[in-house]
Amino acid sequence: MTGLQQRRPTGLTRWALPGGRAGFAALVACYAVLVAVCLATLAAAGDLSFGRNPWDNLLKTVGEFARPSFLDAWFGAERLEYRSDDGTVLRVENRREVEANFLAALARAAWVTFQIATLGSLLAALMALPLAMIVARNLRAPRLLAWAAKGVLDASRAVHTLVFGLILVGIVGLGPTAGVLAIALHSMGTYGKLFAESIESLDMAAVEAVRATGARPGQVFFHGVWPTVLPQFVSHHLYVWEFNIRDSTILGLIGAGGLGLLISEAVSLFQWSRLSTLLIVVVALVVAFDAVSRRIREALL
Amino acid sequence: MTSAVHLEDVRVTVRDRVVLEVPRLTVASGDRVAIVGPNGAGKTTLLRLIGGLLETQQGRVRVLGRRLSREAGGSSGASHVPIPARERRSLRLETGLLMQGLHLVPRLTARGNVLIGALGRLEGADVWRSLLRWYPAECVDEADAALEALGLASRADTRADHLSGGERQKVALARLQLQRPRLVLADEPTSALDPAATARVCAALMSAVAGPGRTLLTVVHDLDLLPRLATRVIGMAAGRLQWDLPIDDVAPPLLNALYGHCPDIAPESGLAVSSLPCTGRDFHADR
């Protein structure tokens, strides 16, 4: 086929894959072997078990999930008595008051999560923009610089937000600051890749036409490049921002602020009904943001 | 005034194939020159060379009194002297290009694209304002007038990627009008247009070069247009200039010979040329 002949010889990293149908079949076979080895080794080590009574546990968990705790803020018992085995009252609790307080704490945590995602995404986009312009091949930055920038972006994309968070909590201490920075460092790689791709898909013939009218370099950028690239940047920004709202909900697990702290609390106390409430809030947050961002993205096209 | 375009010993090769060989060509400033010839004759290559979109490997090119070729003096081919950026830009400003390979900016409106033509001649604070796509009022009026003259007044606020092929061609012409170039290079300016639009575009093109000392070089296939756009006609085939005559001396037999002996290519004929079995020349894409 001509596909192999047309492939440009670009340095050391490009592999020559076997062409044709036989080559693809060989790839599929390799993949099948890999999956089989994974399954077999896990099974041999006895790690492929579902615990002692998975069905009972499942039913119990689903049952508690089906009764999210926020309902108690309106329908809970106003005098819930905790008694010891011989019947003496240990403690009396107003369930409505307790759950109302929890909801208030949850609202604050959700707001912190949103703050972390928003500021982290913006910071990431700002850091990624110059790197993307260096990486984009059609802007012809010096080769060595482009490789360095690509290395930075790849590394930041490879390290998970949680890992960045763990490192940063050790540096800047517990709290949202660590969360913002962790989000920023990880998303920078995603932004850089997306931005560079949209710069590379630019219609260079239009840019060339603007330059050919005798416009100055700055004018060429703001008339030939910017109008085409900006809507794509905004669209990518909304996408990654939404992704980060999801991502930042777990940052609290490591003490970087937000909903994650409440989630880890609920999980470690086996309060599945509270976890249910938390997950409802997370889903609502993401769905609402997705609806808004999709509208904006459609309007920009 | 000196000549607008001067070529000497120019030779352009693509993968060992000579696509253009011009021993000598001079276009006086104020001239109206049309280039005719079959596909693959090197017409577009010649225009791209003069427009600065292509560099010569060999020979000397002078456009509007400035050297375009990179060879210093021309005696030793190895010493490359790059053209200073400032000079290159002022040359681009004075050379108006109307070519298929130069697109409109897809997300800008028709008016926005036309106004791009004015960018190069803005001065002082207007340069900074132009970065926000904020133009002086007289430029905007000029753009609207140019669109109006081409029958595009109602499409001024339509984005370029929603325009038809013919409309885009007209917008590119309006952009060129705002540029006010001294030398206009037009590659088949009427290729996507209906007869009424062709008349309008020709009028606009001629008004763009109406001033004194303004030069027009056009590649045309529609031979009816020759007398309207040119006073001098150059026939090209196989990368070489075959003949160079005043418009009144251009006779049908000459054109027939150029286009490979197709019987019905003469200007007065109304027959569709494309339906005829034209042979004798291989059919290269023109870009």
Side-chain angles (χ1 to χ4, degrees):
Chain A
M1 291 291 289
T2 51
L4 278 177
Q5 289 161 3
Q6 282 169 1
R7 187 172 289 157
R8 285 177 302 142
T10 48
L12 319 161
T13 48
R14 191 134 314 176
W15 291 5
L17 286 174
R21 202 169 276 190
F24 185 70
L27 276 181
V28 172
C30 285
Y31 181 67
V33 167
L34 192 66
V35 171
V37 167
C38 289
L39 264 177
T41 46
L42 268 182
D47 286 339
L48 268 187
S49 95
F50 287 100
R52 259 176 290 178
N53 40 5
W55 291 113
D56 286 354
N57 289 344
L58 180 69
L59 285 178
K60 198 167 155 231
T61 311
V62 167
E64 289 187 44
F65 260 103
R67 215 189 146 279
S69 65
F70 73 89
L71 294 174
D72 279 1
W74 289 277
F75 307 113
E78 288 193 63
R79 274 187 63 84
L80 181 68
E81 294 175 350
Y82 290 87
R83 290 167 189 276
S84 67
D85 290 344
D86 58 355
T88 50
V89 176
L90 294 173
R91 192 159 70 90
V92 180
E93 182 178 282
N94 185 347
R95 289 290 301 149
R96 298 188 186 188
E97 198 182 304
V98 169
E99 287 306 316
N101 287 341
F102 177 72
L103 282 185
L106 197 155
R108 277 194 298 276
W111 172 235
V112 171
T113 291
F114 186 76
Q115 286 172 311
I116 291 174
T118 306
L119 296 178
S121 303
L122 179 61
L123 190 59
L126 294 178
M127 291 192 298
L129 195 56
L131 290 173
M133 288 169 76
I134 296 171
V135 169
R137 287 194 207 94
N138 54 343
L139 296 190
R140 305 226 181 88
R143 182 75 72 78
L144 212 64
L145 204 63
W147 276 346
K150 191 165 165 15
V152 170
L153 290 180
D154 283 348
S156 96
R157 205 165 52 238
V159 179
H160 197 276
T161 314
L162 269 183
V163 179
F164 274 127
L166 284 170
I167 298 168
L168 285 162
V169 162
I171 297 171
V172 301
L174 295 168
T177 314
V180 169
L181 293 177
I183 292 272
L185 284 178
H186 176 69
S187 313
M188 185 176 76
T190 316
Y191 273 117
K193 194 179 162 73
L194 291 173
F195 284 176
E197 271 169 15
S198 49
I199 295 175
E200 279 173 0
S201 69
L202 198 66
D203 181 4
M204 288 310 279
V207 180
E208 197 54 47
V210 178
R211 187 176 296 131
T213 63
R216 294 173 170 83
Q219 293 171 324
V220 173
F221 182 79
F222 279 104
H223 288 80
V225 178
W226 196 239
T228 314
V229 154
L230 181 65
Q232 293 186 33
F233 279 5
V234 173
S235 170
H236 292 324
H237 180 54
L238 287 167
Y239 176 73
V240 178
W241 188 359
E242 177 203 319
F243 182 87
N244 281 338
I245 286 180
R246 245 170 306 153
D247 230 21
S248 63
T249 54
I250 53 162
L251 274 175
L253 289 179
I254 52 163
L259 282 170
L261 185 64
L262 297 182
I263 291 178
S264 80
E265 225 172 64
V267 169
S268 40
L269 296 176
F270 301 109
Q271 293 173 326
W272 302 122
S273 63
R274 279 198 169 170
L275 187 59
S276 173
T277 306
L278 284 162
L279 292 186
I280 288 171
V281 169
V282 170
V283 170
L285 208 60
V286 170
V287 167
F289 192 87
D290 180 52
V292 173
S293 83
R294 188 166 25 196
R295 288 280 169 79
I296 298 175
R297 270 185 276 171
E298 274 165 11
L300 280 172
L301 279 179
Chain B
M1 268 300 288
T2 51
S3 58
V5 178
H6 182 76
L7 272 69
E8 232 177 274
D9 300 326
V10 166
R11 203 177 145 98
V12 179
T13 50
V14 177
R15 287 190 213 96
D16 298 333
R17 197 172 70 90
V18 179
V19 292
L20 185 69
E21 191 162 14
V22 183
R24 193 178 174 83
L25 171 67
T26 306
V27 176
S29 105
D31 254 7
R32 309 271 180 271
V33 182
I35 304 169
V36 294
N39 289 332
K43 309 181 296 294
T44 300
T45 307
L46 178 62
L47 233 54
R48 289 174 62 84
L49 187 71
I50 297 168
L53 298 176
L54 192 77
E55 282 185 352
T56 40
Q57 294 101 330
Q58 225 179 304
R60 280 185 293 282
V61 182
R62 291 185 75 86
V63 176
L64 298 172
R66 296 183 187 82
R67 197 181 57 240
L68 247 187
S69 46
R70 297 203 302 177
E71 282 172 51
S75 52
S76 61
S79 61
H80 282 301
V81 181
I83 306 158
R86 180 181 293 272
E87 195 169 314
R88 191 183 283 257
R89 194 177 76 78
S90 73
L91 191 58
R92 282 186 185 132
L93 182 58
E94 291 180 352
T95 314
L97 302 178
L98 204 59
M99 295 193 185
Q100 286 151 0
L102 294 173
H103 297 172
L104 302 179
V105 180
R107 296 193 72 99
L108 290 182
T109 60
R111 186 190 288 113
N113 268 290
V114 174
L115 281 165
I116 283 175
L119 283 176
R121 57 183 161 90
L122 294 178
E123 293 292 336
D126 284 342
V127 174
W128 294 104
R129 288 197 202 108
S130 76
L131 297 185
L132 300 168
R133 273 178 259 145
W134 197 22
Y135 294 88
E138 62 264 25
C139 287
V140 179
D141 293 343
E142 200 183 333
D144 283 337
L147 284 170
E148 172 104 55
L150 288 163
L152 278 180
S154 62
R155 305 288 272 165
D157 291 311
T158 310
R159 258 167 51 177
D161 50 356
H162 297 161
L163 295 173
S164 75
E167 285 169 334
R168 284 180 208 182
Q169 215 164 348
K170 290 188 216 167
V171 170
L173 175 58
R175 176 172 71 188
L176 180 134
Q177 282 179 297
L178 254 74
Q179 198 185 330
R180 299 182 194 156
R182 277 167 58 202
L183 168 68
V184 174
L185 308 173
D187 192 0
E188 301 181 43
T190 59
S191 62
L193 302 177
D194 58 66
T198 301
R200 272 184 163 149
V201 163
C202 283
L205 202 54
M206 294 317 287
S207 83
V209 289
R214 294 200 177 184
T215 315
L216 173 66
L217 243 95
T218 335
V219 168
V220 262
H221 279 307
D222 185 351
L223 301 178
D224 292 332
L225 290 177
L226 276 184
R228 273 197 262 177
L229 291 175
T231 53
R232 173 183 165 195
V233 183
I234 294 172
M236 280 188 78
R240 291 192 172 81
L241 311 186
Q242 304 293 331
W243 41 262
D244 185 346
L245 296 167
I247 182 79
D248 296 332
D249 295 351
V250 177
L254 271 175
L255 291 169
N256 289 347
L258 198 65
Y259 280 89
H261 308 291
C262 277
D264 282 299
I265 197 116
E268 58 270 22
S269 159
L271 264 179
V273 174
S274 56
S275 64
L276 293 165
C278 292
T279 50
R281 215 162 281 293
D282 39 348
F283 206 77
H284 297 295
D286 221 5
R287 303 206 303 142

